[in-house]
Amino acid sequence: MGRDINVGIFGLGTVGCGVVKILQDNADVIRKRLGFGINIKKVFSHTSKCKNLLTNYTYTKDYKELFDERIDIVLELIGGIDVARRFVIEAIEHKKNIVSANKALLANYGVEIFSKAAKNGVKIGFEASVAGGVPIIKIITRDLMANNIKSIKAIVNGTCNYILSQMFETHESFETILNKAIKEGYAERDPSFDIDGIDSAQKMAILAAISFNAKIEEKDVYVEGIRDIDFIDIDFARQLGYRIKLLGIASMKNERLLVRVAPYFVEAENILAKVDGVYNAISVISDMTGQTTYVGKGAGSLPTASSVVADIIDIAKDFESGKVKDTLSKGVFEKTEFVDIDSLESHFYIRFSVIDSVGVLANIAYVLSKYDISIKSVVQTGKGLDVVPLLVLTHKAKESNIKKAILEIEQDHKSIIKNGTVLIRVLE
Ligand SMILES: NC(=O)c1ccc[n+]([C@@H]2O[C@H](COP(=O)([O-])OP(=O)(O)OC[C@H]3O[C@@H](n4cnc5c(N)ncnc54)[C@H](OP(=O)(O)O)[C@@H]3O)[C@@H](O)[C@H]2O)c1
Protein backbone atom coordinates (compact mmCIF):
# COMPACT_ATOMS: atom_id res chain seq x y z
CA MET A 1 0.00 0.00 0.00
CA GLY A 2 2.98 2.21 0.40
CA ARG A 3 1.57 4.58 3.01
CA ASP A 4 2.40 4.30 6.68
CA ILE A 5 -0.11 2.77 9.10
CA ASN A 6 -1.38 4.99 11.92
CA VAL A 7 -2.32 3.58 15.28
CA GLY A 8 -4.08 5.02 18.32
CA ILE A 9 -3.30 3.61 21.76
CA PHE A 10 -5.83 3.40 24.59
CA GLY A 11 -3.88 2.59 27.78
CA LEU A 12 -0.17 3.20 28.13
CA GLY A 13 0.82 0.85 30.93
CA THR A 14 3.10 -2.20 30.91
CA VAL A 15 2.00 -3.47 27.49
CA GLY A 16 1.30 -0.05 25.94
CA CYS A 17 4.80 1.16 26.85
CA GLY A 18 6.25 -2.04 25.39
CA VAL A 19 4.47 -1.29 22.13
CA VAL A 20 5.87 2.27 22.09
CA LYS A 21 9.37 0.92 22.69
CA ILE A 22 9.15 -1.71 19.93
CA LEU A 23 7.66 0.71 17.39
CA GLN A 24 10.39 3.25 18.19
CA ASP A 25 13.45 1.00 18.68
CA ASN A 26 12.65 -1.34 15.78
CA ALA A 27 11.10 1.22 13.44
CA ASP A 28 13.80 0.67 10.81
CA VAL A 29 13.59 -3.11 10.75
CA ILE A 30 9.77 -3.00 10.65
CA ARG A 31 9.85 -0.51 7.74
CA LYS A 32 12.46 -2.57 5.90
CA ARG A 33 10.46 -5.79 6.21
CA LEU A 34 7.02 -4.31 5.58
CA GLY A 35 7.83 -1.63 3.06
CA PHE A 36 6.01 0.95 5.17
CA GLY A 37 6.12 2.23 8.73
CA ILE A 38 3.81 2.17 11.75
CA ASN A 39 3.22 5.53 13.44
CA ILE A 40 1.69 6.25 16.82
CA LYS A 41 -0.80 9.01 16.04
CA LYS A 42 -2.76 9.43 19.28
CA VAL A 43 -2.57 8.10 22.81
CA PHE A 44 -5.18 8.25 25.55
CA SER A 45 -4.30 7.00 29.04
CA HIS A 46 -4.89 8.07 32.64
CA THR A 47 -1.24 7.83 33.58
CA SER A 48 1.87 6.38 32.03
CA LYS A 49 5.45 5.59 32.91
CA CYS A 50 6.59 6.19 29.33
CA LYS A 51 4.80 9.45 28.50
CA ASN A 52 8.23 11.07 28.01
CA LEU A 53 8.82 8.91 24.93
CA LEU A 54 5.96 10.59 23.08
CA THR A 55 5.40 14.19 21.96
CA ASN A 56 2.76 16.24 23.78
CA TYR A 57 0.90 16.45 20.51
CA THR A 58 0.38 12.68 20.50
CA TYR A 59 -1.26 12.71 23.91
CA THR A 60 -4.97 13.45 23.95
CA LYS A 61 -7.43 14.17 26.76
CA ASP A 62 -10.38 13.00 24.70
CA TYR A 63 -10.50 9.29 23.86
CA LYS A 64 -12.75 10.05 20.87
CA GLU A 65 -9.70 11.44 19.08
CA LEU A 66 -8.63 7.80 18.71
CA PHE A 67 -11.48 7.48 16.20
CA ASP A 68 -9.87 10.15 14.00
CA GLU A 69 -10.24 9.14 10.35
CA ARG A 70 -6.45 9.08 9.88
CA ILE A 71 -6.13 6.29 12.46
CA ASP A 72 -6.27 2.79 10.95
CA ILE A 73 -5.95 0.59 14.03
CA VAL A 74 -6.81 1.24 17.67
CA LEU A 75 -5.01 -0.67 20.44
CA GLU A 76 -7.12 -1.42 23.53
CA LEU A 77 -4.52 -1.90 26.26
CA ILE A 78 -6.29 -0.74 29.43
CA GLY A 79 -7.49 -4.16 30.67
CA GLY A 80 -10.66 -4.77 32.71
CA ILE A 81 -14.08 -5.30 31.23
CA ASP A 82 -16.64 -2.47 31.39
CA VAL A 83 -14.76 0.54 30.00
CA ALA A 84 -12.78 -1.66 27.59
CA ARG A 85 -15.99 -3.22 26.22
CA ARG A 86 -17.72 0.14 25.70
CA PHE A 87 -14.60 1.51 24.05
CA VAL A 88 -14.10 -1.47 21.71
CA ILE A 89 -17.76 -1.45 20.62
CA GLU A 90 -17.60 2.30 19.96
CA ALA A 91 -14.34 1.90 18.04
CA ILE A 92 -15.85 -0.85 15.87
CA GLU A 93 -18.85 1.38 15.16
CA HIS A 94 -16.32 3.97 13.95
CA LYS A 95 -14.97 1.24 11.60
CA LYS A 96 -11.69 0.97 13.45
CA ASN A 97 -9.70 -2.25 13.43
CA ILE A 98 -8.81 -3.27 16.95
CA VAL A 99 -5.86 -4.95 18.59
CA SER A 100 -6.45 -5.99 22.18
CA ALA A 101 -4.47 -7.93 24.79
CA ASN A 102 -7.53 -8.22 27.00
CA LYS A 103 -8.33 -11.87 27.86
CA ALA A 104 -11.00 -10.91 30.42
CA LEU A 105 -12.90 -8.93 27.79
CA LEU A 106 -12.62 -11.54 25.04
CA ALA A 107 -13.38 -14.51 27.30
CA ASN A 108 -16.62 -12.85 28.37
CA TYR A 109 -17.73 -10.76 25.39
CA GLY A 110 -15.78 -12.29 22.50
CA VAL A 111 -18.88 -13.49 20.67
CA GLU A 112 -20.48 -10.02 20.80
CA ILE A 113 -17.27 -8.27 19.77
CA PHE A 114 -16.42 -10.60 16.88
CA SER A 115 -19.92 -10.53 15.45
CA LYS A 116 -20.01 -6.73 15.68
CA ALA A 117 -16.60 -6.59 13.99
CA ALA A 118 -17.85 -8.85 11.18
CA LYS A 119 -20.90 -6.64 10.61
CA ASN A 120 -18.69 -3.56 10.40
CA GLY A 121 -15.99 -5.17 8.25
CA VAL A 122 -13.16 -4.67 10.73
CA LYS A 123 -10.65 -7.04 12.22
CA ILE A 124 -9.85 -7.88 15.85
CA GLY A 125 -6.27 -8.88 16.65
CA PHE A 126 -5.94 -10.62 20.00
CA GLU A 127 -2.67 -12.57 19.87
CA ALA A 128 -1.44 -10.98 23.11
CA SER A 129 -4.50 -12.07 25.09
CA VAL A 130 -3.17 -15.63 25.48
CA ALA A 131 0.37 -16.62 26.44
CA GLY A 132 1.94 -13.16 25.92
CA GLY A 133 4.82 -13.58 23.52
CA VAL A 134 3.91 -17.08 22.25
CA PRO A 135 2.11 -16.68 18.89
CA ILE A 136 -0.40 -19.41 19.65
CA ILE A 137 -3.46 -17.64 18.24
CA LYS A 138 -1.88 -17.38 14.79
CA ILE A 139 -0.62 -20.97 15.00
CA ILE A 140 -4.11 -22.27 15.68
CA THR A 141 -6.05 -19.97 13.35
CA ARG A 142 -3.57 -19.96 10.47
CA ASP A 143 -0.80 -22.57 10.62
CA LEU A 144 -2.94 -25.47 11.84
CA MET A 145 -6.00 -24.43 9.86
CA ALA A 146 -6.03 -27.67 7.80
CA ASN A 147 -6.26 -29.76 10.98
CA ASN A 148 -9.08 -30.89 13.20
CA ILE A 149 -7.88 -30.07 16.67
CA LYS A 150 -8.51 -32.90 19.15
CA SER A 151 -7.33 -31.22 22.32
CA ILE A 152 -5.26 -28.44 23.83
CA LYS A 153 -3.17 -29.04 26.95
CA ALA A 154 -1.54 -25.93 28.27
CA ILE A 155 0.30 -24.09 31.00
CA VAL A 156 -1.00 -20.57 30.50
CA ASN A 157 -0.33 -18.90 33.84
CA GLY A 158 3.30 -18.04 34.53
CA THR A 159 2.66 -17.10 38.17
CA CYS A 160 1.24 -20.53 39.03
CA ASN A 161 3.94 -22.31 37.08
CA TYR A 162 6.58 -20.28 38.91
CA ILE A 163 5.06 -21.11 42.32
CA LEU A 164 4.76 -24.85 41.57
CA SER A 165 8.29 -24.98 40.12
CA GLN A 166 9.70 -23.21 43.18
CA MET A 167 7.83 -25.54 45.56
CA PHE A 168 9.33 -28.48 43.66
CA GLU A 169 12.86 -27.07 43.82
CA THR A 170 12.94 -25.66 47.35
CA HIS A 171 10.54 -27.99 49.22
CA GLU A 172 8.96 -24.88 50.74
CA SER A 173 5.26 -24.37 51.40
CA PHE A 174 2.78 -22.70 49.07
CA GLU A 175 2.48 -19.65 51.39
CA THR A 176 6.26 -19.17 51.63
CA ILE A 177 6.73 -19.34 47.87
CA LEU A 178 3.70 -17.15 47.17
CA ASN A 179 5.05 -14.43 49.48
CA LYS A 180 8.43 -14.67 47.76
CA ALA A 181 6.73 -14.43 44.35
CA ILE A 182 4.86 -11.28 45.44
CA LYS A 183 8.13 -9.71 46.71
CA GLU A 184 9.95 -10.57 43.48
CA GLY A 185 7.13 -9.25 41.28
CA TYR A 186 6.11 -12.64 39.87
CA ALA A 187 2.72 -12.44 41.57
CA GLU A 188 0.27 -9.58 42.16
CA ARG A 189 -0.39 -8.27 45.69
CA ASP A 190 -3.83 -9.82 45.32
CA PRO A 191 -2.84 -13.08 43.63
CA SER A 192 -6.29 -14.69 43.58
CA PHE A 193 -6.90 -14.01 39.87
CA ASP A 194 -3.86 -16.15 39.07
CA ILE A 195 -3.73 -18.76 41.83
CA ASP A 196 -7.45 -19.52 41.75
CA GLY A 197 -7.19 -20.36 38.06
CA ILE A 198 -9.35 -17.49 36.75
CA ASP A 199 -6.66 -16.07 34.46
CA SER A 200 -6.05 -19.55 33.02
CA ALA A 201 -9.80 -20.10 32.56
CA GLN A 202 -10.14 -16.88 30.52
CA LYS A 203 -7.23 -17.86 28.30
CA MET A 204 -8.56 -21.42 27.86
CA ALA A 205 -11.98 -20.04 26.87
CA ILE A 206 -10.25 -18.06 24.09
CA LEU A 207 -8.13 -21.04 22.97
CA ALA A 208 -11.15 -23.36 22.99
CA ALA A 209 -13.22 -20.85 21.01
CA ILE A 210 -10.68 -20.66 18.18
CA SER A 211 -9.70 -24.35 18.27
CA PHE A 212 -13.24 -25.74 18.15
CA ASN A 213 -15.17 -22.80 16.65
CA ALA A 214 -17.01 -22.88 19.95
CA LYS A 215 -19.32 -20.34 21.49
CA ILE A 216 -17.74 -20.45 24.91
CA GLU A 217 -17.36 -17.98 27.73
CA GLU A 218 -15.32 -17.95 30.93
CA LYS A 219 -18.33 -19.28 32.90
CA ASP A 220 -18.29 -22.48 30.80
CA VAL A 221 -14.80 -23.42 32.02
CA TYR A 222 -14.45 -25.72 35.06
CA VAL A 223 -11.85 -24.19 37.38
CA GLU A 224 -9.68 -25.32 40.30
CA GLY A 225 -6.64 -23.31 41.38
CA ILE A 226 -3.44 -24.20 43.19
CA ARG A 227 -4.20 -22.67 46.61
CA ASP A 228 -4.61 -26.09 48.23
CA ILE A 229 -1.55 -27.75 46.74
CA ASP A 230 0.56 -29.03 49.60
CA PHE A 231 4.27 -29.41 49.09
CA ILE A 232 4.04 -33.00 50.33
CA ASP A 233 1.94 -33.80 47.25
CA ILE A 234 4.61 -32.17 45.09
CA ASP A 235 7.13 -34.39 46.83
CA PHE A 236 5.03 -37.55 46.43
CA ALA A 237 4.56 -36.64 42.77
CA ARG A 238 8.33 -36.48 42.38
CA GLN A 239 8.78 -39.88 44.07
CA LEU A 240 6.17 -41.42 41.78
CA GLY A 241 7.77 -39.94 38.63
CA TYR A 242 5.45 -36.98 38.10
CA ARG A 243 5.37 -33.18 38.41
CA ILE A 244 2.34 -31.15 39.46
CA LYS A 245 1.31 -28.48 36.93
CA LEU A 246 -1.72 -26.20 36.69
CA LEU A 247 -3.07 -27.23 33.30
CA GLY A 248 -5.78 -25.88 31.08
CA ILE A 249 -7.26 -28.67 28.97
CA ALA A 250 -9.82 -28.31 26.22
CA SER A 251 -11.07 -31.44 24.51
CA MET A 252 -13.94 -32.29 22.20
CA LYS A 253 -15.62 -35.70 22.34
CA ASN A 254 -18.76 -36.67 20.45
CA GLU A 255 -19.33 -33.01 19.52
CA ARG A 256 -19.26 -32.01 23.16
CA LEU A 257 -16.64 -29.75 24.65
CA LEU A 258 -15.01 -29.89 28.06
CA VAL A 259 -12.68 -27.09 29.11
CA ARG A 260 -11.13 -27.29 32.52
CA VAL A 261 -8.34 -25.73 34.56
CA ALA A 262 -6.94 -27.77 37.43
CA PRO A 263 -3.71 -29.04 38.97
CA TYR A 264 -2.57 -32.26 37.29
CA PHE A 265 0.01 -34.96 37.89
CA VAL A 266 2.07 -34.86 34.70
CA GLU A 267 4.61 -37.61 33.92
CA ALA A 268 8.13 -36.23 34.36
CA GLU A 269 8.95 -37.19 30.76
CA ASN A 270 6.04 -35.19 29.32
CA ILE A 271 7.19 -31.98 27.64
CA LEU A 272 4.76 -29.94 29.78
CA ALA A 273 6.41 -31.27 32.96
CA LYS A 274 9.72 -29.82 31.82
CA VAL A 275 8.45 -26.26 31.41
CA ASP A 276 9.34 -24.39 34.58
CA GLY A 277 9.27 -20.92 36.07
CA VAL A 278 7.20 -18.17 34.49
CA TYR A 279 7.18 -19.88 31.11
CA ASN A 280 3.98 -20.89 29.32
CA ALA A 281 3.58 -23.97 27.13
CA ILE A 282 0.74 -24.99 24.86
CA SER A 283 0.47 -28.47 23.34
CA VAL A 284 -1.95 -28.71 20.44
CA ILE A 285 -3.02 -32.23 19.47
CA SER A 286 -4.46 -32.28 15.96
CA ASP A 287 -5.41 -34.97 13.47
CA MET A 288 -2.88 -34.29 10.72
CA THR A 289 0.05 -32.75 12.57
CA GLY A 290 -0.14 -34.77 15.79
CA GLN A 291 1.18 -33.03 18.87
CA THR A 292 3.03 -29.73 18.55
CA THR A 293 4.12 -27.74 21.58
CA TYR A 294 4.91 -24.05 21.84
CA VAL A 295 6.88 -22.61 24.75
CA GLY A 296 7.73 -19.04 25.67
CA LYS A 297 7.20 -16.08 27.95
CA GLY A 298 3.55 -15.72 28.78
CA ALA A 299 3.72 -12.16 30.05
CA GLY A 300 5.97 -9.14 30.39
CA SER A 301 6.04 -5.80 28.66
CA LEU A 302 8.09 -6.62 25.54
CA PRO A 303 7.04 -10.22 24.78
CA THR A 304 3.37 -9.20 25.06
CA ALA A 305 3.91 -5.99 23.08
CA SER A 306 5.67 -8.02 20.39
CA SER A 307 2.41 -9.95 19.89
CA VAL A 308 0.44 -6.69 19.78
CA VAL A 309 2.76 -5.32 17.07
CA ALA A 310 2.51 -8.62 15.15
CA ASP A 311 -1.29 -8.12 15.08
CA ILE A 312 -0.86 -4.55 13.81
CA ILE A 313 1.38 -5.87 11.04
CA ASP A 314 -1.09 -8.63 10.16
CA ILE A 315 -3.92 -6.12 9.79
CA ALA A 316 -1.65 -3.76 7.87
CA LYS A 317 -0.82 -6.57 5.42
CA ASP A 318 -4.55 -7.09 4.91
CA PHE A 319 -4.84 -3.41 3.99
CA GLU A 320 -2.09 -3.99 1.48
CA SER A 321 -3.88 -6.89 -0.13
CA GLY A 322 -6.92 -4.65 -0.50
CA LYS A 323 -9.29 -6.01 2.10
CA VAL A 324 -9.48 -6.94 5.73
CA LYS A 325 -10.27 -10.63 5.86
CA ASP A 326 -10.92 -12.08 9.24
CA THR A 327 -12.23 -15.61 9.22
CA LEU A 328 -12.91 -15.37 12.93
CA SER A 329 -15.27 -12.48 12.42
CA LYS A 330 -17.46 -14.29 9.95
CA GLY A 331 -19.67 -15.76 12.63
CA VAL A 332 -17.89 -19.12 12.85
CA PHE A 333 -18.52 -19.55 16.56
CA GLU A 334 -21.10 -22.32 16.76
CA LYS A 335 -23.52 -23.05 19.55
CA THR A 336 -21.69 -25.56 21.73
CA GLU A 337 -22.71 -28.42 24.01
CA PHE A 338 -20.59 -28.87 27.10
CA VAL A 339 -19.65 -31.97 29.07
CA ASP A 340 -19.91 -31.94 32.86
CA ILE A 341 -16.59 -32.55 34.63
CA ASP A 342 -18.23 -35.33 36.68
CA SER A 343 -18.61 -37.51 33.61
CA LEU A 344 -14.90 -37.20 32.80
CA GLU A 345 -12.88 -40.41 32.97
CA SER A 346 -9.36 -40.00 34.25
CA HIS A 347 -6.61 -41.56 36.32
CA PHE A 348 -6.44 -40.10 39.82
CA TYR A 349 -4.01 -39.56 42.67
CA ILE A 350 -5.73 -39.72 46.05
CA ARG A 351 -3.95 -38.95 49.31
CA PHE A 352 -5.78 -40.18 52.39
CA SER A 353 -4.57 -39.28 55.87
CA VAL A 354 -5.16 -42.45 57.88
CA ILE A 355 -4.59 -43.99 61.28
CA ASP A 356 -1.67 -46.40 60.97
CA SER A 357 -3.48 -49.65 61.80
CA VAL A 358 -4.33 -53.02 60.30
CA GLY A 359 -7.30 -53.17 57.91
CA VAL A 360 -7.31 -49.53 56.81
CA LEU A 361 -6.30 -50.30 53.24
CA ALA A 362 -8.86 -53.11 53.01
CA ASN A 363 -11.65 -50.72 54.03
CA ILE A 364 -10.59 -48.11 51.47
CA ALA A 365 -10.13 -50.71 48.72
CA TYR A 366 -13.58 -52.13 49.43
CA VAL A 367 -15.35 -48.77 48.98
CA LEU A 368 -13.33 -47.91 45.86
CA SER A 369 -14.24 -51.24 44.26
CA LYS A 370 -17.93 -50.63 45.06
CA TYR A 371 -17.69 -47.58 42.79
CA ASP A 372 -15.87 -49.42 40.00
CA ILE A 373 -12.52 -47.84 40.81
CA SER A 374 -9.53 -50.10 40.37
CA ILE A 375 -6.26 -49.37 42.13
CA LYS A 376 -3.08 -49.10 40.08
CA SER A 377 -0.68 -48.67 43.01
CA VAL A 378 -0.65 -47.88 46.71
CA VAL A 379 2.07 -46.26 48.78
CA GLN A 380 2.02 -45.84 52.55
CA THR A 381 4.72 -43.82 54.24
CA GLY A 382 5.49 -42.41 57.69
CA LYS A 383 5.57 -45.68 59.68
CA GLY A 384 5.40 -45.07 63.41
CA LEU A 385 3.38 -41.84 63.26
CA ASP A 386 -0.23 -41.70 64.50
CA VAL A 387 -1.57 -40.35 61.21
CA VAL A 388 0.15 -41.33 57.97
CA PRO A 389 -0.40 -40.55 54.29
CA LEU A 390 -1.82 -43.36 52.18
CA LEU A 391 -1.44 -42.69 48.47
CA VAL A 392 -3.60 -44.37 45.88
CA LEU A 393 -3.09 -44.11 42.13
CA THR A 394 -6.14 -45.35 40.28
CA HIS A 395 -6.72 -46.74 36.83
CA LYS A 396 -9.17 -44.82 34.67
CA ALA A 397 -12.31 -44.06 36.63
CA LYS A 398 -15.30 -41.77 36.35
CA GLU A 399 -14.85 -38.53 38.27
CA SER A 400 -18.35 -38.69 39.81
CA ASN A 401 -17.55 -42.19 41.17
CA ILE A 402 -14.27 -41.06 42.67
CA LYS A 403 -15.98 -38.18 44.46
CA LYS A 404 -18.77 -40.44 45.78
CA ALA A 405 -16.26 -43.04 46.98
CA ILE A 406 -14.15 -40.47 48.84
CA LEU A 407 -17.26 -39.01 50.48
CA GLU A 408 -18.36 -42.48 51.62
CA ILE A 409 -14.89 -43.33 52.93
CA GLU A 410 -14.72 -40.06 54.86
CA GLN A 411 -18.23 -40.40 56.29
CA ASP A 412 -18.36 -44.12 57.11
CA HIS A 413 -14.79 -44.57 58.31
CA LYS A 414 -14.28 -41.51 60.50
CA SER A 415 -12.28 -43.56 63.00
CA ILE A 416 -9.52 -44.32 60.49
CA ILE A 417 -9.58 -41.32 58.09
CA LYS A 418 -8.28 -37.98 59.33
CA ASN A 419 -8.17 -34.46 57.84
CA GLY A 420 -9.13 -33.72 54.27
CA THR A 421 -8.49 -36.15 51.46
CA VAL A 422 -6.52 -34.75 48.50
CA LEU A 423 -7.62 -35.59 44.97
CA ILE A 424 -5.54 -34.66 41.91
CA ARG A 425 -6.16 -35.82 38.33
CA VAL A 426 -3.36 -37.58 36.47
CA LEU A 427 -2.71 -36.49 32.88
CA GLU A 428 -2.84 -39.38 30.41
N1 LIG B 1 1.29 -7.06 31.66
C1 LIG B 1 1.40 -8.19 30.97
O1 LIG B 1 2.43 -8.87 31.01
C2 LIG B 1 0.26 -8.67 30.12
C3 LIG B 1 0.40 -9.87 29.41
C4 LIG B 1 -0.64 -10.30 28.58
C5 LIG B 1 -1.78 -9.54 28.49
N2 LIG B 1 -1.91 -8.39 29.22
C6 LIG B 1 -3.15 -7.63 29.08
O2 LIG B 1 -2.84 -6.36 28.54
C7 LIG B 1 -3.77 -5.39 29.02
C8 LIG B 1 -2.99 -4.23 29.64
O3 LIG B 1 -2.23 -4.76 30.72
P1 LIG B 1 -1.06 -3.90 31.40
O4 LIG B 1 -0.29 -4.86 32.22
O5 LIG B 1 -0.36 -3.09 30.39
O6 LIG B 1 -1.92 -2.96 32.36
P2 LIG B 1 -1.43 -1.65 33.11
O7 LIG B 1 0.04 -1.64 33.27
O8 LIG B 1 -2.29 -1.48 34.30
O9 LIG B 1 -1.77 -0.49 32.05
C9 LIG B 1 -3.07 -0.02 31.80
C10 LIG B 1 -2.95 1.45 31.43
O10 LIG B 1 -4.22 1.94 31.03
C11 LIG B 1 -4.60 3.06 31.81
N3 LIG B 1 -6.04 3.02 32.00
C12 LIG B 1 -6.77 2.08 32.67
N4 LIG B 1 -8.08 2.36 32.60
C13 LIG B 1 -8.17 3.51 31.90
C14 LIG B 1 -9.27 4.30 31.49
N5 LIG B 1 -10.53 3.98 31.81
N6 LIG B 1 -9.02 5.44 30.79
C15 LIG B 1 -7.74 5.78 30.48
N7 LIG B 1 -6.66 5.05 30.83
C16 LIG B 1 -6.87 3.91 31.53
C17 LIG B 1 -3.85 2.88 33.11
O11 LIG B 1 -3.69 4.09 33.77
P3 LIG B 1 -3.90 4.07 35.40
O12 LIG B 1 -2.91 3.05 35.89
O13 LIG B 1 -3.63 5.45 35.83
O14 LIG B 1 -5.32 3.63 35.58
C18 LIG B 1 -2.50 2.32 32.62
O15 LIG B 1 -1.66 3.33 32.17
C19 LIG B 1 -4.67 -6.14 30.00
O16 LIG B 1 -5.84 -6.54 29.34
C20 LIG B 1 -3.84 -7.36 30.39
O17 LIG B 1 -4.63 -8.47 30.78
C21 LIG B 1 -0.92 -7.94 30.02
Side-chain angles (χ1 to χ4, degrees), residues 153 237 240-245 247 249 260 262-268 270 344-350 376-377 392-397 399 402 423-428:
K153 296 173 184 169
L240 296 165
Y242 294 88
R243 298 283 302 269
I244 297 182
K245 294 285 176 189
L247 294 187
I249 303 184
R260 63 270 195 199
Y264 270 81
F265 266 45
V266 182
E267 274 177 334
N270 187 310
L344 185 75
E345 289 205 340
S346 184
H347 299 250
F348 291 89
Y349 159 92
I350 313 171
K376 187 174 171 195
S377 59
V392 175
L393 282 175
T394 74
H395 285 292
K396 219 171 199 182
E399 177 139 346
I402 289 273
L423 176 68
I424 302 177
R425 297 166 192 85
V426 179
L427 186 70
E428 277 183 64

Side-chain angles (χ1 to χ4, degrees), residues 8 37 60 74 126 162 207 267 279 303 358 372 399 408:
T60 171
V74 176
F126 56 102
Y162 172 83
L207 287 181
E267 274 177 334
Y279 278 81
V358 178
D372 219 10
E399 177 139 346
E408 184 170 323

Side-chain angles (χ1 to χ4, degrees), residues 139-150 210-213 284-292 294:
I139 286 163
I140 292 173
T141 56
R142 187 189 60 197
D143 306 328
L144 294 174
M145 210 190 242
N147 285 255
N148 280 307
I149 292 177
K150 305 255 178 230
I210 60 169
S211 303
F212 302 104
N213 297 345
V284 183
I285 296 94
S286 56
D287 58 354
M288 298 299 149
T289 311
Q291 175 168 340
T292 50
Y294 310 89

Side-chain angles (χ1 to χ4, degrees), residues 43 62 77 143 164 174 197 259:
V43 175
D62 180 5
L77 301 175
D143 306 328
L164 294 172
F174 175 79
V259 187

Side-chain angles (χ1 to χ4, degrees), residues 255-300:
E255 309 279 302
R256 295 176 78 207
L257 181 63
L258 175 58
V259 187
R260 63 270 195 199
V261 170
Y264 270 81
F265 266 45
V266 182
E267 274 177 334
E269 289 313 306
N270 187 310
I271 191 164
L272 294 175
K274 297 175 197 283
V275 175
D276 282 327
V278 293
Y279 278 81
N280 282 194
I282 301 107
S283 285
V284 183
I285 296 94
S286 56
D287 58 354
M288 298 299 149
T289 311
Q291 175 168 340
T292 50
T293 301
Y294 310 89
V295 180
K297 284 193 177 155

Side-chain angles (χ1 to χ4, degrees), residues 145-164:
M145 210 190 242
N147 285 255
N148 280 307
I149 292 177
K150 305 255 178 230
S151 63
I152 304 273
K153 296 173 184 169
I155 295 168
V156 280
N157 186 276
T159 303
C160 290
N161 205 41
Y162 172 83
I163 291 171
L164 294 172

